[in-house]
């Protein structure tokens, strides 16, 4: 078994060849100066993709959920209020993680498949001005909906409330501007539009978030995901041992980011926009109907209800077994009725679209 796949699900995506090759480099010790230089250079690359000058920008060990937990654990104290935008599975997860950490969660909801209204989020903040944090998912992978986070930062920046953005599916796929949009904290994952394998969660904290973390009165309840300790490990001089971080994964992320930056951040956004639009224009011809409304549809993740004659389980089994293509199933009400199709990173190409459409046509025969 060697699992040669075209990964067109909600992630992981098929990584860039450079990222896969990088996995074969010799393993370095977690305090080796070459490893720490690699982390610093990866931080420089991440700053370019996050579009930030934040010094505290680093890859947390773990997947996107580790980035989510690291930010919530480091920025919230028990009993503090967090306002969470919820219009899909990952907004729900933010609520769950914040609740488990002892925060009071205020939900701002929109139906699954529609975008959050930023005015609703800001209204919730005016009703709960003492909130420590507002948290929103920029790209809801469960539905393929883009949430507009740009209007939130300027108003929150006038207050003591921080803005946390989940950019797990957004980063490197659709425009995201950490500094220009006044985002205080943002996390992502290596395995989607950054084109590397899963295992690392890039995180960036701005000065207001760093100050909130440094001035807290209770210890961060997670030792492993304490962004203060991770700063002291990766970025302080001398570095202070915290855990045995993986140079193998760092090489791969560094290489994926290198490929992305060679193409250019804006060109990569354009490529995702172009191939997403191509897929979304072709799917209705095969009888699929798109879930997210025009205007808040993500190019890198399309949710589409299946046409009559295509049964979810058997069709995805055949796609994988006969064509080596992975797509994701629907979540929530769309389970068993829809596919989630990712065109992310190295897999965001016309070739992926044509291959998937060709295979789907065979399944429909
Ligand atoms: N947030 C969003 C928007 C996601 O799409 C995902 C994963 O798909 C996560 C968080 C969690 O990331 P992971 O599965 O890498 O832990």
């Amino acid at each position: 078994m060697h699992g040669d796949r075209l990964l067109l699900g909600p992630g992981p995506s098929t990584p860039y060849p450079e990222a896969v090759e990088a996995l074969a480099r010799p393993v370095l010790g977690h305090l080796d100066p070459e490893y720490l230089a690699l982390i610093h250079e990866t931080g420089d690359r991440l700053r370019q993709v996050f579009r930030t000058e934040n010094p505290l920008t680093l890859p947390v060990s773990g997947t996107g959920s580790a980035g989510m937990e690291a930010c919530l654990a480091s920025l919230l104290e028990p009993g503090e209020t967090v306002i969470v935008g919820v219009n899909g599975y990952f907004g729900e997860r933010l609520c769950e993680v914040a609740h488990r950490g002892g925060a009071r969660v205020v939900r701002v909801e929109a139906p699954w498949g529609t975008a959050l209204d930023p005015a609703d989020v800001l209204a919730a903040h005016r009703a709960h001005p003492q909130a420590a944090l507002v948290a929103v998912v920029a790209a809801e992978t469960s539905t393929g909906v883009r949430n507009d986070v740009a209007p939130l930062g300027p108003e929150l920046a006038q207050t003591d409330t921080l803005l946390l953005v989940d950019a797990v599916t957004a980063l490197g796929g659709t425009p995201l501007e950490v500094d220009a949009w006044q985002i205080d904290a943002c996390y992502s994952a290596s395995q989607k539009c950054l084109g590397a394998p899963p295992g690392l969660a890039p995180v960036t904290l701005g000065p207001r978030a760093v100050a909130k973390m440094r001035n807290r009165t209770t210890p961060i309840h997670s030792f492993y995901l304490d962004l203060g300790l991770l700063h002291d490990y990766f970025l302080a001089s001398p570095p202070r041992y915290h855990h045995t971080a993986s140079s193998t994964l760092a090489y791969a992320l560094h290489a994926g980011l290198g490929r992305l930056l060679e193409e250019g951040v804006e060109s990569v956004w354009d490529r995702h926009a172009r191939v997403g639009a191509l897929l979304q224009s072709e799917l209705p011809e095969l009888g699929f109907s798109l879930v997210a409304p025009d205007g808040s549809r993500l190019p890198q993740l399309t949710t589409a209800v299946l046409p009559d004659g295509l049964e979810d389980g058997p069709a995805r089994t055949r796609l994988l077994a006969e064509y080596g293509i992975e797509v994701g199933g629907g979540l929530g009400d769309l389970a068993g009725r829809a596919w989630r199709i990712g065109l992310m990173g190295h897999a965001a190409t016309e070739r992926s679209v044509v291959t998937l459409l060709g295979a789907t046509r065979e399944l429909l025969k």
Side-chain angles (χ1 to χ4, degrees):
M1 272 198 269
H2 61 95
D4 184 16
R5 299 284 191 245
L6 177 56
L7 296 173
L8 302 182
S13 64
T14 301
Y16 288 116
E18 291 88 338
V20 176
E21 282 159 25
L23 291 168
R25 302 225 174 108
V27 171
L28 299 175
H30 56 283
L31 290 169
D32 185 314
E34 269 193 45
Y35 171 61
L36 293 165
L38 177 71
I39 289 295
H40 280 261
E41 221 175 275
T42 303
D44 290 340
R45 292 181 178 191
L46 286 172
R47 272 183 281 277
Q48 293 178 61
V49 182
F50 274 123
R51 316 269 267 194
T52 184
E53 301 287 324
N54 291 337
L56 202 165
T57 301
L58 47 79
V60 171
S61 296
T63 61
S65 305
M68 182 189 286
E69 297 223 19
C71 288
L72 291 174
S74 301
L75 298 178
L76 283 173
E77 299 200 56
E80 286 186 333
T81 298
V82 54
I83 298 167
V84 182
V86 185
N87 62 334
Y89 180 88
F90 292 103
E92 288 290 353
R93 183 175 292 189
L94 274 167
C95 295
E96 173 72 16
V97 173
H99 170 72
R100 287 180 182 218
R104 258 193 70 222
V105 177
V106 173
R107 299 163 63 96
V108 178
E109 303 196 34
W112 281 45
T114 67
L116 290 166
D117 185 343
D120 290 347
V121 179
L122 291 172
H125 177 254
R126 279 179 226 122
H128 300 275
Q130 83 291 1
L133 200 64
V134 166
V136 175
V137 179
E140 213 356 304
T141 327
S142 57
T143 57
V145 162
R146 185 180 68 85
N147 286 321
D148 189 8
V149 296
L152 303 176
E155 185 166 326
L156 296 177
Q158 308 304 314
T159 72
D160 289 336
T161 305
L162 302 176
L163 175 60
L164 169 65
V165 171
D166 174 318
V168 169
T169 286
L171 192 69
T174 32
L176 180 90
E177 303 275 358
V178 166
D179 285 358
W181 295 355
Q182 296 177 275
I183 295 169
D184 296 295
C186 191
Y187 59 89
S188 188
S190 49
Q191 77 271 18
K192 300 205 186 209
C193 298
L194 301 183
L200 292 175
V203 169
T204 186
L205 293 193
R208 290 182 354 129
V210 172
K212 167 93 170 79
M213 178 173 70
R214 298 281 184 214
N215 294 331
R216 52 187 295 146
T217 54
T218 56
I220 295 170
H221 65 80
S222 168
F223 178 86
Y224 193 65
L225 298 171
D226 179 328
L227 288 171
L229 294 178
L230 290 172
H231 168 273
D232 295 347
Y233 168 22
F234 285 132
L235 304 178
S237 184
R240 199 176 308 155
Y241 162 71
H242 176 259
H243 70 287
T244 309
S246 164
S247 61
T248 308
L249 290 174
Y251 273 131
L253 175 60
H254 178 267
L257 291 167
R259 172 74 185 261
L260 189 164
L261 292 171
E262 210 176 293
E263 185 175 347
V265 175
E266 288 168 19
S267 305
V268 168
W269 294 343
D270 289 347
R271 171 161 58 84
H272 283 84
R274 194 177 66 243
V275 299
L278 175 65
L279 176 72
Q280 290 163 5
S281 70
E282 296 283 334
L283 281 174
E285 314 252 317
L286 294 185
F288 285 84
S289 50
L290 304 177
V291 169
D294 206 7
S296 49
R297 210 173 273 153
L298 292 167
Q300 67 271 52
L301 195 285
T302 301
T303 303
V305 175
L306 300 175
D308 289 341
L310 206 56
E311 213 187 317
D312 177 37
R316 278 194 291 134
T317 302
R318 277 192 64 196
L319 258 191
L320 198 62
E322 294 173 28
Y323 303 98
I325 301 174
E326 178 180 278
V327 298
L331 288 179
D333 287 351
L334 293 171
R337 292 201 300 126
W339 282 354
R340 289 180 303 141
I341 304 168
L343 293 168
M344 301 177 183
H346 183 51
T349 58
E350 275 86 1
R351 184 170 71 164
S352 296
V353 176
V354 170
T355 306
L356 174 65
L357 292 173
T360 306
R361 275 195 195 94
E362 292 300 312
L363 300 182
L364 279 165
K365 275 184 185 163

